[in-house]
Amino acid sequence: MTRFFIISAFAFTVSACGDKAPTVDDSGAALVDTGEEDIDDGVSDDGVSDAPGCYQESVACNAFTGPAWAGQEEASCQASSDYSVENGGAAMVYLAEGCPDGAVSVCSDLFGRDDAGNPVEAASYVMYFYSGISADQALASCDENGGSFAPF
């Protein structure tokens, strides 16, 4: 089986977005999710894409849209997550149901690469950006990966 990978799709966002969500409120008290109310984090349970995704919370999500990804999505996401963590970034989560709502921009016309680094049209993917990354950073990441950027 040929394996496909995404070259540096999260490399820019990993280095640019090391900040994490606050764990204390303005008074210094720890924030605790009691489960009693739905916390509005700007991300709904519905996805912007129903293709399986690889999500770095509040930053970006890759939606594996091309047929060549079939069966490789979770492994590819784990490899991206490992790379992110090794480089000081946040872990990523595989979302079989697709990328969450709340994206503020999108980068399309992206392609995974084969072992030789060549783009593979059947390994297309779409990257959604969220509010945890600036528009300039999202645009730069999209340009770096050869995609077409559009804000929502």
Side-chain angles (χ1 to χ4, degrees):
M1 169 190 281
T2 302
R3 296 192 70 77
F4 303 103
F5 58 95
I6 298 172
I7 293 180
S8 73
F10 280 104
F12 187 81
T13 58
V14 166
S15 63
C17 302
D19 294 0
K20 295 187 172 139
T23 57
V24 296
D25 66 14
D26 292 336
S27 71
L31 297 174
V32 177
D33 182 2
T34 63
E36 295 179 7
E37 63 183 68
D38 191 16
I39 295 173
D40 182 12
D41 61 357
V43 178
S44 75
D45 292 335
D46 297 324
V48 292
S49 169
D50 59 1
C54 187
Y55 182 57
Q56 187 177 53
E57 188 173 353
S58 300
V59 177
C61 185
N62 284 337
F64 300 101
T65 56
W69 291 110
Q72 297 185 53
E73 302 96 339
E74 191 166 9
S76 178
C77 184
Q78 185 60 55
S80 293
S81 183
D82 292 347
Y83 176 82
S84 175
V85 170
E86 288 169 9
N87 288 282
M92 294 171 210
V93 178
Y94 173 69
L95 302 173
E97 68 280 2
C99 294
D101 275 349
V104 295
S105 58
V106 63
C107 182
S108 56
D109 302 323
L110 298 168
F111 302 100
R113 308 286 175 146
D114 62 17
D115 291 334
N118 300 311
V120 178
E121 194 169 314
S124 60
Y125 67 98
V126 175
M127 181 180 265
Y128 295 96
F129 296 102
Y130 298 83
S131 60
I133 183 172
S134 74
D136 288 342
Q137 291 169 325
L139 176 60
S141 180
C142 186
D143 285 347
E144 180 180 303
N145 289 289
S148 301
F149 181 79
F152 289 132

